[in-house]
Amino acid sequence: MADLVRVERREKGVAWVTIDRAEAMNALSGAVLEGLCVAAQSLRTDRSSCLVVLTGAGEKAFCAGADLKERREMTEEQARARVDLIGHACSLWSRLPRPTVAAINGVALGGGLELALACDFRIAARQAQLGLTEVRLGIIPGAGGTQRLSRLVGVARAKELVLLGRRIDATRAHEIGLVNEVVAPEELEAAAMRLADELAGCAPISVAKAKEAIDRGIDVIIDEGLRIERACYDVTLTTEDRNEGLRAFAEKRPPRFQGK
Ligand code: CO8
């Protein structure tokens, strides 16, 4: 079951996660969703990785969203449970305590784009198509899409995509800030690995706490956000890596962070 979602350890502390169901455009079947949850739970406590990359097998799809064939056979109750499961998988991914990047190698539609939105960064191959097309199926995005997309690109842009069920290409997605970078398909892997190079110079606890400060602070009034930031800052104050950062600066050498 879990092998529909493959987790590989790569160089530079990268955990490379692939949805391996190319024949169905990497659609989110129950088994794929279970695999995504298992992967997120194991990565949560894995201190050896500095970056988690999520991608889809093949060249056509990152993920075509909910499995619409399974959906046809479902009762209303099962459909509700499935929406909960997609939402749960996205939440687990969004809360990983290290940076995540969706390497969008092809279409990212519906739940597939919601999954990408649960990542910190999105890099898209030039031919990728993105959309929250649920209104064209008589539903709405239910795994965080209406919330995460509007926080990311603003309400007006989000409404263009969600209310019109519009599909956009990677270039347009980049223009509106939905993806961080657009690259040629054969460059996608290297672009994700470049993030790992950058992260090699950053203290892992600092990165985790900075992510937490941004993600928790975005939803609250600024005074509360500043309190969250301060609490996250305080955690870094007592780390060995903080001392190492200061020592390395004084000694004019690159820091050797241990994640402690
Ligand atoms: N679910 C299941 N199978 C799929 C899906 C999907 N979402 N998308 C594609 N496939 C299958 C096709 O049926 C086909 O299988 P087969 O060869 O057996 O007929 C195979 O993948 C290849 O697909 P196509 O032949 O269609 O390939 P194309 O290159 O012509 O088109 C597309 C690829 C553009 C991805 C097209 O298949 C498509 O539009 N798919 C639907 C995408 C979509 O609308 N996604 C949104 C789904 S809704 C959602 O995700 C919100 C969550 C709702 C929760 C509901 C829970 C119950």
Side-chain angles (χ1 to χ4, degrees):
M1 226 192 199
D3 59 355
L4 285 177
V5 175
R6 275 189 288 116
V7 181
E8 298 160 66
R9 311 288 159 174
R10 296 209 175 164
E11 55 185 347
K12 302 174 184 173
V14 172
W16 193 275
V17 182
T18 308
I19 305 175
D20 197 2
R21 206 186 166 216
E23 69 287 357
M25 299 281 157
N26 301 315
L28 299 169
S29 62
V32 168
L33 287 163
E34 293 296 341
L36 284 167
C37 292
V38 169
Q41 269 146 357
S42 76
L43 290 165
R44 185 167 185 78
T45 50
D46 167 32
R47 289 162 50 90
S48 65
S49 54
C50 74
L51 176 70
V52 181
V53 182
L54 178 61
T55 195
E59 282 142 31
K60 285 182 138 185
F62 170 74
C63 173
D67 188 315
L68 297 175
K69 290 178 183 164
E70 278 186 358
R71 173 69 186 89
R72 265 203 318 258
E73 312 297 324
M74 284 179 190
T75 62
E76 191 184 319
E77 196 180 334
Q78 287 169 328
R80 281 182 205 281
R82 179 55 60 84
V83 180
D84 286 347
L85 181 57
I86 300 179
H88 178 62
C90 289
S91 290
L92 286 177
W93 274 81
S94 74
R95 291 189 193 131
L96 282 176
R98 51 195 54 79
T100 52
V101 55
I104 304 176
N105 52 308
V107 292
L109 297 172
L113 181 53
E114 291 181 297
L115 198 53
L117 284 166
C119 294
D120 299 310
F121 307 109
R122 281 151 295 281
I123 303 176
R126 201 163 288 140
Q127 85 285 6
Q129 295 272 324
L130 300 89
L132 291 177
T133 51
E134 281 88 341
V135 293
R136 294 183 178 273
L137 292 165
I139 50 176
I140 70 166
T146 59
Q147 304 305 303
R148 291 198 178 97
L149 183 65
S150 39
R151 281 164 175 73
L152 187 64
V153 303
V155 169
R157 299 287 194 217
K159 284 181 175 169
E160 270 178 30
L161 267 83
V162 176
L163 273 54
L164 305 174
R166 201 180 261 180
R167 274 184 204 186
I168 57 173
D169 63 18
T171 306
R172 177 68 183 149
H174 188 237
E175 277 167 13
I176 66 171
L178 171 51
V179 303
N180 299 77
E181 194 180 348
V182 180
V183 295
E186 64 277 13
E187 276 291 307
L188 193 58
E189 193 169 325
M193 294 304 275
R194 276 197 294 275
L195 290 180
D197 289 335
E198 287 187 59
L199 284 164
C202 307
I205 296 173
S206 302
V207 174
K209 288 290 145 189
K211 171 171 172 166
E212 184 183 332
I214 292 172
D215 286 347
R216 287 179 53 208
I218 196 82
D219 289 328
V220 298
I221 59 165
I222 188 148
D223 285 347
E224 178 57 16
L226 293 171
R227 273 191 287 277
I228 290 169
E229 180 187 76
R230 182 55 205 261
C232 289
Y233 185 97
D234 283 352
V235 173
T236 64
L237 263 182
T238 55
T239 59
E240 287 176 28
D241 282 349
R242 173 184 173 266
N243 293 330
E244 166 61 9
L246 291 172
R247 256 193 322 268
F249 178 75
E251 293 166 14
K252 299 186 187 303
R253 61 168 173 82
R256 290 182 292 269
F257 293 125
Q258 306 285 325
K260 292 182 192 161

